[in-house]
Amino acid sequence: MRLLGCILALTAIASASDVLEFTDSDFSSKVDDHDIILVEFFAPWCGHCKRLAPEYEKAATALKGNDPPVALAKVDCTANEETCKKYGVSGYPTLKIFRAGEFAEEYGGPREADGITKYMMSRAGPTCKDLESVEDVDIQLSKASDNFVMGFFEDKDSSLAKDFQKVADAMSTDLKFGRTFNKDALAKYKYKNEVVLFQPEKYKSKFEESSKKCSEKDVEKIKTWIGENMLGLCGERTQGNAEKFKRPLIVAFYDVDYVKNVKGTNYWRNRVMKVAKKLKDSGKKFYTAVSNIKDFSYELGEFGLGDAKGDKPIITARDEADRKYVMTDEFTMDNLEKFINDFLDGKVEPYLKSEPVPDNEGEAVKTVVAKNFDEIVNDEDKDVLIEFYAPWCGHCKNLEPKYKELAEKLADEPGITIAKMDATANDVAKPYEVSGFPTIYFAPKGSKNNPRKYNGGREVDDFLKYLAKESSDELLGFNRNGKKKKGGQKKSEL
């Protein structure tokens, strides 16, 4: 009986999933049942698939109640090779959108719940919903869970109404749009031939208006206005919209939960907003947001706050150069105001994840850490070739002796520095982008803000030829083709 109970419990858990599961035998018939459906092709052993699974499940639950509903499904490619081969699946996870049983498009959206939900909502139904009565408008605005853009128009064929549709088509993955031509609705809301941004009930506060009217009449200008206002004075920053927040940005991390605890969430948000409004009214230019501390634990780790806990918000900031800052004092409105002022006035030291500065004396390959990055890599008198590596990376280990040999061959070249940096133990400065290992950049003198990514071969001769050709000044010991000069180094002029 106990075994039977366990089996029934496991069955109940499995059946609770809102993600549908298709196989080779039923894929075509089941996909055909849905006007629109997102299908994930996965492998059980795939790490990326495992990370996606809980986000995909959350999105499936959210989209199940959408109007119209959007289904999410999955196919195990290790057990259903025929279907996966038919749709050209070559990596995992692969996500595809189907309409009326036919493949429609590759999924090009985010891989977290909020982003998946918004992306698929934008693909389901019209990009702009027509609301034909006062009741329709009332219901839409009362049930909106996020900011909502509404167009109030007298004439369907007006240029503004047509431009509004173009704006909705372009921005429907970011926001929901609606429009009405109903005279009673225009009279009740007192808008005529205007575009209005409405906040949902959960975001309303005394520190900003719950609706804003756009005075622009041109497509691009309307889009710009919406982009500048859609997040409000202090927006809810999620994994799906994080890149939308401009900098300098101050973020309050705590238990943000607009589903189960609206009152508690707004208790702290209102305090951040009060400070933000005061400083913005005085002419300060910056942006603020609140984020769920659990959802962004990885980001807090970048600030050295991976183990941070507490009942009060944790405050961080990023400036326009992507430098990171941490408010070390306990959260109070006075401390927050002081931190923001000091941050904007350049009185706060940026946080750097960095190993100790090494002694590079006598080393052919110079070791760079975050704290000496500017000194070595951004030295305007030197061309620098820098390798970003990870200690565990096999390709990096294979490259190490060749990279050292290259540095030794160029040891007498005063204008070249060969450097390396452990990108797992140090912050990588902008504009460098490291998404795999090893990643190699060439930073020529006089152009340190525009380093060039190295994509050539990884033998010593490949590096020599590249540096001989790209170096700002001709190398002493090598021709521009990377060949060693006859008679050694060229003579210095007297």
Side-chain angles (χ1 to χ4, degrees):
M1 287 298 291
R2 181 177 297 177
L3 177 60
L4 177 60
C6 291
I7 293 172
L8 290 173
L10 290 171
T11 302
I13 291 171
S15 64
S17 173
D18 287 320
V19 177
L20 307 175
E21 189 155 6
F22 299 162
T23 65
D24 283 341
S25 63
D26 62 15
F27 185 87
S28 296
S29 61
K30 287 191 173 180
V31 166
D32 194 44
D33 288 339
H34 302 273
D35 292 333
I36 182 170
I37 186 170
L38 176 64
V39 181
E40 175 203 3
F41 297 89
F42 75 100
W45 46 259
C46 163
H48 293 297
C49 303
K50 291 176 182 177
R51 284 191 288 274
L52 174 62
E55 300 298 318
Y56 201 65
E57 185 67 53
K58 290 177 191 174
T61 301
L63 288 165
K64 187 178 180 180
N66 186 59
D67 181 21
V70 179
L72 268 60
K74 62 183 180 180
V75 177
D76 181 352
C77 288
T78 64
N80 301 280
E81 295 181 6
E82 183 181 326
T83 300
C84 298
K85 183 178 180 181
K86 177 179 178 180
Y87 292 104
V89 177
S90 58
Y92 309 115
T94 292
L95 291 91
K96 297 176 182 284
I97 299 172
F98 291 78
R99 294 182 186 272
E102 298 294 328
F103 167 71
E105 60 181 298
E106 299 290 342
Y107 173 82
R111 297 293 178 96
E112 46 72 41
D114 185 59
I116 295 170
T117 301
K118 288 183 177 179
Y119 188 94
M120 291 308 298
M121 284 168 63
S122 73
R123 292 297 191 270
T127 56
C128 182
K129 191 172 184 179
D130 282 330
L131 305 171
E132 298 179 357
S133 68
V134 174
E135 291 74 23
D136 288 344
V137 178
D138 290 344
I139 292 171
Q140 179 61 63
L141 294 180
S142 65
K143 76 174 186 179
S145 60
D146 211 334
N147 289 341
F148 188 85
V149 186
M150 188 75 197
F152 296 86
F153 308 114
E154 292 181 291
D155 182 4
K156 280 188 177 182
D157 296 321
S158 69
S159 59
L160 182 58
K162 291 178 179 178
D163 284 348
F164 183 73
Q165 180 63 60
K166 293 177 183 177
V167 171
D169 291 342
M171 301 186 73
S172 60
T173 55
D174 298 325
L175 288 168
K176 277 193 170 185
F177 290 78
R179 63 182 182 176
T180 186
F181 305 96
N182 182 276
K183 292 181 180 179
D184 294 333
L186 270 63
K188 176 178 178 178
Y189 285 91
K190 299 179 181 179
Y191 294 117
K192 186 182 291 185
N193 300 319
E194 290 173 310
V195 174
V196 185
L197 175 65
F198 290 90
Q199 283 189 334
E201 186 64 34
K202 65 183 181 181
Y203 292 154
K204 291 179 181 178
S205 79
K206 64 181 180 181
F207 301 108
E208 63 179 338
E209 296 179 352
S210 60
S211 62
K212 288 185 178 180
K213 183 173 66 174
C214 176
S215 60
E216 305 293 350
K217 304 297 180 183
D218 169 80
V219 172
E220 291 305 317
K221 289 181 179 179
I222 294 173
K223 285 165 61 177
T224 299
W225 181 88
I226 292 173
E228 290 175 347
N229 290 276
M230 61 184 281
L231 300 171
L233 176 61
C234 183
E236 181 188 7
R237 180 171 169 269
T238 67
Q239 292 180 27
N241 70 3
E243 76 282 356
K244 303 292 183 186
F245 286 82
K246 295 180 181 179
R247 296 169 184 170
L249 175 67
I250 290 86
V251 181
F253 295 92
Y254 60 99
D255 186 20
V256 174
D257 189 342
Y258 274 107
V259 176
K260 297 178 181 178
N261 189 15
V262 175
K263 185 177 180 180
T265 297
N266 281 334
Y267 176 84
W268 293 115
R269 177 173 175 262
N270 286 340
R271 280 152 177 75
V272 175
M273 293 180 77
K274 185 174 183 178
V275 174
K277 179 168 174 45
K278 177 183 176 181
L279 295 178
K280 286 197 169 192
D281 286 348
S282 71
K284 301 281 186 177
K285 293 184 179 180
F286 62 97
Y287 303 89
T288 53
V290 296
S291 286
N292 183 281
I293 192 169
K294 292 179 182 177
D295 291 347
F296 283 88
S297 58
Y298 68 92
E299 185 169 289
L300 286 169
E302 296 175 1
F303 287 83
L305 299 169
D307 298 325
K309 295 178 182 177
D311 297 329
K312 294 185 176 182
I314 294 165
I315 305 296
T316 70
R318 285 184 190 261
D319 63 16
E320 292 170 297
D322 202 40
R323 288 176 296 221
K324 301 187 290 289
Y325 302 81
V326 176
M327 187 175 95
T328 55
D329 294 326
E330 181 181 61
F331 180 89
T332 65
M333 285 189 287
D334 287 342
N335 285 342
L336 176 61
E337 182 177 344
K338 182 179 185 302
F339 172 73
I340 294 175
N341 277 322
D342 288 348
F343 161 64
L344 295 175
D345 293 340
K347 296 178 181 178
V348 183
E349 285 292 319
Y351 168 78
L352 276 178
K353 181 174 77 171
S354 178
E355 294 177 293
V357 175
D359 180 5
N360 279 312
E361 187 68 32
E363 297 292 334
V365 179
K366 305 302 180 184
T367 298
V368 175
V369 297
K371 290 180 178 178
N372 70 355
F373 190 92
D374 280 340
E375 177 188 341
I376 295 178
V377 181
N378 290 331
D379 182 350
E380 287 292 351
D381 295 327
K382 300 264 193 177
D383 290 340
V384 179
L385 187 73
I386 180 166
E387 174 207 1
F388 295 96
Y389 72 95
W392 44 259
C393 166
H395 294 297
C396 303
K397 292 176 182 177
N398 291 335
L399 176 62
E400 186 174 4
K402 301 171 187 177
Y403 203 64
K404 183 178 180 182
E405 182 182 343
L406 169 70
E408 289 171 345
K409 283 181 178 290
L410 297 174
D412 295 327
E413 298 289 343
I416 293 277
T417 297
I418 306 300
K420 65 178 181 178
M421 177 168 144
D422 180 353
T424 68
N426 298 275
D427 279 338
V428 178
K430 295 292 184 184
Y432 294 88
E433 296 287 345
V434 178
S435 57
F437 301 109
T439 294
I440 302 170
Y441 277 93
F442 176 64
K445 62 182 180 180
S447 188
K448 295 298 181 177
N449 290 328
N450 297 289
R452 307 167 199 164
K453 194 169 185 179
Y454 175 80
N455 292 309
R458 293 179 180 175
E459 298 297 328
V460 175
D461 284 346
D462 295 321
F463 288 117
L464 280 175
K465 288 177 182 177
Y466 176 86
L467 292 172
K469 181 181 178 182
E470 299 296 332
S471 60
S472 301
D473 303 310
E474 185 175 338
L475 301 183
L476 297 178
F478 298 88
N479 294 318
R480 282 293 185 185
N481 61 6
K483 297 293 184 182
K484 204 163 188 178
K485 289 178 179 177
K486 293 181 180 179
Q489 297 180 353
K490 68 179 181 180
K491 296 179 181 179
S492 300
E493 294 184 6
L494 297 176

